[in-house]
């Protein structure tokens, strides 16, 4: 039984890790951080005593929270550097390859971010998102609609500011 | 009027720039060699640590219930004693000897006739 469980874990890792780490890479600055976040998400999945019914959703939600923590930590460090050097603005050392994805994660509130991640990035149907988040399907649809409208506003602003 | 929220079907929206954001090209990042084994070991260590922490917490809780503590075995406060009625007066002390005081010899009595003291009989325990 242990062997079959080990085989199942190995197959899950082979199937999900590359895409999860690739998604993390679009949000953080380097491969190393992306691997750290993806690995931590899998560690938390397998450190649980009870089995997770939907591991894919669990992994993406966990990774999204870790990415958010990573960005908060970077922002605190930048603020500290700004205060220490009394500079008005400090250019970030690296810009992510896809700023729109970062904007997606940073701009949306938690309630709207999770359904977007699960539905569009983890390719989950609304029914599965509803089960995983514990919200009704109608509520999930409304959240996705609100999130898209919010992103449209942000996109329009970024386009207007672009020289 | 309720806005229909057919999220799954978005016909004619292929040129929506938002979909470019929401459905980016899938990026893949292969795991470094040995990453799977490292993750499995880390997960196993975390499970063991949680089990040990849980056992320690249960043992501590059981010890608090079983072991007597000073504040849990406090003696009940002493009840004030009901004042008793005053003790009766002690009996009058019994004279040490029951010898009747000899009468004063009368002057008319002969000198030889001195009365001898009467010794009370002693009680045998």
């Amino acid at each position: 039984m242990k062997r079959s469980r080990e085989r199942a874990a190995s197959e899950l890792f082979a199937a999900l890790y590359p895409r999860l780490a690739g998604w993390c890479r679009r949000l953080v600055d380097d491969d190393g951080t992306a691997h750290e976040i993806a690995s931590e998400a899998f560690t938390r999945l397998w450190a649980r005593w009870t089995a997770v019914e939907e591991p894919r959703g669990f992994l993406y939600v966990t990774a999204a929270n870790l990415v958010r923590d990573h960005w908060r930590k970077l922002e605190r460090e930048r603020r500290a550097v700004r205060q220490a050097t009394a500079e008005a603005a400090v250019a970030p050392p690296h810009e992510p390859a896809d700023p729109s994805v970062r904007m997606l994660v940073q701009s949306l509130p938690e309630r709207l971010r999770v359904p977007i991640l699960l539905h569009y990035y983890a390719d989950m149907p609304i029914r599965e998102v509803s089960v995983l988040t514990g919200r009704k399907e109608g509520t999930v649809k409304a959240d996705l609609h609100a999130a898209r409208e919010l992103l449209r506003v942000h996109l329009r602003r970024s386009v207007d500011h672009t020289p | 009027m309720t806005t229909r929220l057919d999220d799954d079907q978005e016909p004619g929206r292929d040129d929506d720039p938002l979909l470019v954001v929401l459905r980016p090209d899938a990026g893949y990042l292969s795991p470094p060699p040995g990453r799977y084994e490292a993750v499995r070991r880390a997960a196993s260590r975390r499970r063991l640590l949680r089990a040990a922490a849980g056992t320690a917490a249960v043992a501590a809780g059981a010890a608090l219930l079983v072991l007597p503590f000073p504040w849990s075995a406090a003696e009940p406060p002493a009840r004030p004693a009901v004042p008793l009625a005053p003790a009766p007066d002690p009996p009058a002390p019994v004279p040490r000897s029951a010898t009747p005081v000899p009468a004063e010899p009368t002057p008319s009595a002969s000198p030889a006739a001195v009365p001898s003291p009467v010794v009370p009989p002693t009680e045998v325990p």
Side-chain angles (χ1 to χ4, degrees):
Chain A
M1 185 174 174
K2 189 179 175 182
R3 196 173 295 175
S4 66
R5 198 163 53 222
E6 195 63 34
R7 193 181 319 123
S10 172
E11 288 171 359
L12 183 79
F13 188 84
L16 294 183
Y17 184 97
R19 189 177 171 120
L20 179 69
W23 174 74
C24 292
R25 182 60 187 88
R26 299 173 71 87
L27 300 169
V28 297
D29 301 334
D30 57 294
D31 288 359
T33 307
H35 281 303
E36 274 181 27
I37 291 175
S39 300
E40 176 61 23
F42 270 95
T43 303
R44 290 186 187 190
L45 173 70
W46 286 328
R48 293 168 63 91
W49 288 341
T50 56
V52 175
E53 286 189 9
E54 181 48 62
R56 190 173 55 158
F58 178 91
L59 287 169
Y60 273 89
V61 171
T62 303
N65 291 334
L66 290 169
V67 166
R68 176 201 61 203
D69 295 342
H70 173 73
W71 284 121
R72 280 181 183 168
K73 181 184 150 200
L74 281 184
E75 187 55 38
R76 277 198 301 270
E77 288 170 359
R78 285 173 191 157
R79 205 175 298 135
V81 167
R82 274 200 295 269
Q83 287 176 353
T85 60
E87 288 181 11
V90 175
H94 296 99
E95 282 294 338
D98 192 348
S100 59
V101 181
R102 174 181 169 181
M103 175 195 71
L104 166 72
V105 173
Q106 284 190 319
S107 67
L108 292 177
E110 182 82 17
R111 180 179 60 87
L112 302 182
R113 189 188 316 137
V114 172
I116 285 279
L117 287 172
L118 296 179
H119 182 60
Y120 288 103
Y121 283 87
D123 292 331
M124 282 187 182
I126 291 183
R127 184 182 64 260
E128 277 188 49
V129 176
S130 166
V131 168
L132 197 66
T133 57
R135 297 163 76 86
K136 294 182 184 173
E137 287 189 28
T139 308
V140 171
K141 286 183 184 177
D143 288 345
L144 288 170
H145 179 79
R148 285 199 305 272
E149 292 306 313
L150 205 58
L151 287 172
R152 280 202 178 88
V153 169
H154 283 290
L155 262 181
R156 212 170 292 129
R157 273 191 208 153
S158 66
V159 166
D160 290 343
H161 289 155
T162 306
Chain B
M1 187 183 79
T2 311
T3 306
R4 288 201 61 193
L5 300 171
D6 291 332
D7 188 58
D8 286 328
Q9 298 88 25
E10 291 181 353
R13 302 296 298 270
D14 292 340
D15 57 345
D16 188 350
L18 187 62
L19 290 184
V20 175
V21 173
L22 291 177
R23 289 197 185 278
D25 294 335
Y28 289 86
L29 202 58
S30 298
R35 182 54 60 109
Y36 170 72
E37 290 79 9
V39 169
R40 290 295 279 176
R41 277 197 303 271
S44 175
R45 269 198 305 272
R46 218 173 274 190
R47 267 201 311 275
L48 284 173
L49 279 172
R50 281 185 186 166
T55 305
V58 168
L64 284 173
L65 290 174
V66 169
L67 291 176
F69 281 95
W71 55 80
S72 65
E75 293 179 357
R79 295 178 62 186
V82 176
L84 301 174
D89 293 334
V94 176
R96 293 186 71 82
S97 68
T99 309
V101 177
E104 291 264 345
T106 56
S108 61
S110 61
V114 177
S116 60
V118 177
V119 179
T122 56
E123 292 184 1
V124 178

